[in-house]
Amino acid sequence: MNTSKLLNGRVLISDGLGRDCFNTQLLYFTCSSLSADDERIYLISDRDGHPNVWMHDMFRGTDRKLTDNQKGILKSYVYFDGTQDEGLGKASVCLDYIRERVYYIQDDKICRTDRDGNIRVLNRVPDGRMTAFTHVSLDGTKLCVPMTDGRILDFDPETEGEGLDKRPKYNIDQRAQDEGLNSYLCVYDTESGALLYEKTIPRCWITHVQFHPLDSDIIMYNHEWSAFDCGIRRVNIYDHHQDIFYHVRKEGDDTKGNPRGYARSRHDWVCHEMWTDDGRSIIYHGGYDHGPAMVGRCDIDFTHTDADGLPVRNFWEIALPDEYNAYGHFLMDHRGNLTCDGYYRMPGEKIIERENSTDNGPDPHRKDGAYITKVEPDWDEGILHWVPLCKHDSDWLGQDAHPHPIYAHAGDRIFFNSRMAHTVNVYAVSARTPQ
């Protein structure tokens, strides 16, 4: 691998260029950034003055630009101060890691490029809609582009925005409720570019979508920054077979694992959902209402229904120690191990005080986590075994500086973003448990 020197267990993914001059980051965590053989990594970098997708061959030390953006950043979820209908949708980039095709939105065009940089326009975003994070099915046949009525982000970031990311001062989800704004699950054929179907989800702001890994007619989607009932509204399923949609998490006191006596409540905070490889479970994290942080797993049996006629769901949740109050993300490898960029605290450690007001969302946790950890869960016993691997030391200011750690497909390394000084860079650390 062509990398720089080892830094406290971290390895900088180096392209031989001055890394203090530009920003480089992983693709969003809902897809992999690595080819199936772990030899190539796909990144978003502004090294040529505009954000573009680059492919870096980690063994040959070569780079190739795959997109041709010269218009800055497209306005969308997270990138609130981008340009309307112009630029690269940084939130839209997703990788089909098996076929090594990258899907993204450029201006109003839904595009595909391969590892050689051959660009093809598949379709266009309808006028008057705002996009967010896209997702490609594991079989490579379908692309889901979540869209919302454009009114959802109809504001002037300079006068009505706040913080580093210029997010609106108004409650975005509440606007969807008050004004009856809708979101749309738009599913396209990845070869012809044809719109296969569009499902309207009323009074909803969707920003995350993920196809079921084994059934591309099932899509998990979110209600972003829920103005109310986040504990049950956040994670949802659309089943195209039956044309139904429903909340995944339910209220109840039958939680297995170790919830430390906390019942599942609509007033909880839940976030960052993802499928397990077999599609039988959804992993999420969050916090109990007036209680500790937690990580959860929902097992879904699509072959049996409950009293409401919906798939049977069983819940395992593990409450974290009270002092584990640093916001983070949990991601999973192909063996069931988790990795996390927050929550963990060294025993007796002095907490670094950071001014994070520029990126404070509705979550109840501090953005001052400093470690990349491997987390080995025992769901039945309700135990998490935390293995600190290195410090990421990111300042967390803005979406791009969130570490969002992901495993290599082989499970031997973890890749993550960090801004330790002036620019965001990508690092890797060994995922092997230190001896």
Side-chain angles (χ1 to χ4, degrees):
M1 183 190 296
N2 182 35
T3 56
S4 75
K5 65 182 180 179
L6 197 65
L7 299 172
N8 297 327
R10 303 173 299 220
V11 176
L12 175 69
I13 305 306
S14 173
D15 50 19
L17 301 175
R19 64 186 177 93
D20 292 329
C21 302
F22 57 83
N23 298 283
T24 301
Q25 67 191 83
L26 297 166
L27 311 185
Y28 198 56
F29 79 91
T30 48
C31 75
S32 178
S33 292
L34 294 146
S35 59
D37 58 10
D38 288 331
E39 291 190 5
R40 290 164 298 283
I41 186 167
Y42 291 78
L43 307 162
I44 299 174
S45 178
D46 59 10
R47 69 188 67 180
D48 63 347
H50 298 273
N52 274 290
V53 182
W54 292 73
M55 185 271 288
H56 176 59
D57 190 311
M58 293 184 285
F59 289 88
R60 295 175 177 83
T62 57
D63 296 89
R64 178 175 291 135
K65 188 168 78 165
L66 304 183
T67 58
D68 187 26
N69 174 47
Q70 301 177 45
K71 298 181 180 178
I73 301 172
L74 176 71
K75 183 178 181 179
S76 70
Y77 168 60
V78 187
Y79 301 98
F80 303 107
D81 60 345
T83 303
Q84 185 79 37
D85 300 325
E86 282 193 355
L88 176 72
K90 289 179 68 174
S92 72
V93 183
C94 68
L95 171 68
D96 176 347
Y97 72 88
I98 297 173
R99 297 152 198 87
E100 294 189 60
R101 291 175 169 179
V102 175
Y103 297 87
Y104 63 99
I105 296 173
Q106 175 68 47
D107 306 330
D108 66 342
K109 299 183 291 292
I110 301 170
C111 302
R112 186 186 80 194
T113 184
D114 60 22
R115 57 187 278 188
D116 295 318
N118 298 309
I119 298 172
R120 179 181 170 190
V121 176
L122 297 176
N123 212 309
R124 291 182 180 270
V125 178
D127 292 340
R129 290 189 178 178
M130 193 62 56
T131 59
F133 295 108
T134 72
H135 196 250
V136 61
S137 59
L138 187 63
D139 63 11
T141 64
K142 298 175 183 176
L143 176 72
C144 183
V145 181
M147 304 181 192
T148 306
D149 292 330
R151 170 65 179 160
I152 198 80
L153 295 182
D154 181 13
F155 77 111
D156 181 352
E158 294 304 317
T159 61
E160 301 173 276
E162 59 185 353
L164 179 69
D165 57 5
K166 302 293 186 181
R167 68 181 58 194
K169 295 177 182 177
Y170 59 85
N171 187 306
I172 306 175
D173 181 59
Q174 193 61 55
R175 172 178 282 190
Q177 310 308 311
D178 295 343
E179 300 186 17
L181 305 180
N182 300 327
S183 281
Y184 310 90
L185 299 174
C186 301
V187 177
Y188 298 88
D189 185 288
T190 57
E191 289 299 329
S192 69
L195 177 65
L196 299 177
Y197 68 85
E198 175 179 298
K199 179 62 181 178
T200 301
I201 310 295
R203 284 184 164 79
C204 177
W205 181 32
I206 297 177
T207 63
H208 295 60
V209 290
Q210 295 168 68
F211 286 102
H212 186 288
L214 304 181
D215 186 345
S216 60
D217 280 326
I218 295 176
I219 299 174
M220 177 167 58
Y221 68 91
N222 72 330
H223 282 254
E224 186 62 71
W225 293 350
S226 304
F228 59 95
D229 295 351
C230 184
I232 59 174
R233 288 182 66 225
R234 166 68 194 202
V235 187
N236 307 272
I237 294 289
Y238 171 61
D239 187 334
H240 189 56
H241 297 290
Q242 305 178 66
D243 192 28
I244 60 172
F245 55 91
Y246 53 90
H247 302 314
V248 169
R249 193 170 182 262
K250 302 185 295 182
E251 290 189 296
D253 57 5
D254 57 346
T255 311
K256 303 175 185 177
N258 182 18
R260 285 170 49 188
Y262 287 90
R264 300 188 309 278
S265 167
R266 64 183 59 245
H267 302 301
D268 298 337
W269 176 77
V270 175
C271 202
H272 294 116
E273 58 282 351
M274 61 179 171
W275 292 104
T276 56
D277 280 359
D278 58 11
R280 295 179 179 177
S281 303
I282 293 171
I283 306 297
Y284 54 88
H285 75 97
Y288 294 114
D289 183 33
H290 296 96
M294 59 81 177
V295 60
R297 187 188 91 197
C298 173
D299 290 354
I300 305 179
D301 183 355
F302 289 99
T303 65
H304 294 85
T305 56
D306 59 18
D308 298 319
L310 299 175
V312 172
R313 285 152 286 163
N314 291 296
F315 298 89
W316 280 259
E317 294 182 352
I318 303 175
L320 275 55
D322 290 342
E323 64 270 22
Y324 281 33
N325 63 349
Y327 173 91
H329 311 84
F330 285 92
L331 282 300
M332 181 174 279
D333 69 5
H334 296 306
R335 298 175 178 84
N337 296 306
L338 300 173
T339 181
C340 188
D341 52 7
Y343 293 114
Y344 177 80
R345 306 286 197 192
M346 282 284 190
E349 179 181 31
K350 184 181 185 301
I351 297 174
I352 300 173
E353 294 291 340
R354 290 196 177 105
E355 175 47 61
N356 287 336
S357 61
T358 56
D359 193 33
N360 279 341
D363 57 273
H365 302 131
R366 301 165 54 95
K367 290 188 175 69
D368 59 8
Y371 295 92
I372 298 295
T373 55
K374 179 179 181 179
V375 187
E376 300 166 336
D378 184 332
W379 294 102
D380 289 332
E381 295 297 324
I383 297 172
L384 297 175
H385 178 51
W386 297 79
V387 182
L389 299 175
C390 71
K391 296 189 76 173
H392 60 70
D393 283 333
S394 187
D395 61 18
W396 289 94
L397 294 178
Q399 178 71 29
D400 298 349
H402 288 198
H404 284 136
I406 61 166
Y407 277 97
H409 296 293
D412 59 339
R413 289 166 292 165
I414 293 172
F415 294 79
F416 60 95
N417 305 317
S418 179
R419 181 168 52 216
M420 302 176 194
H422 304 293
T423 58
V424 178
N425 294 282
V426 175
Y427 297 82
V429 65
S430 171
R432 295 186 177 91
T433 302
Q435 300 299 313

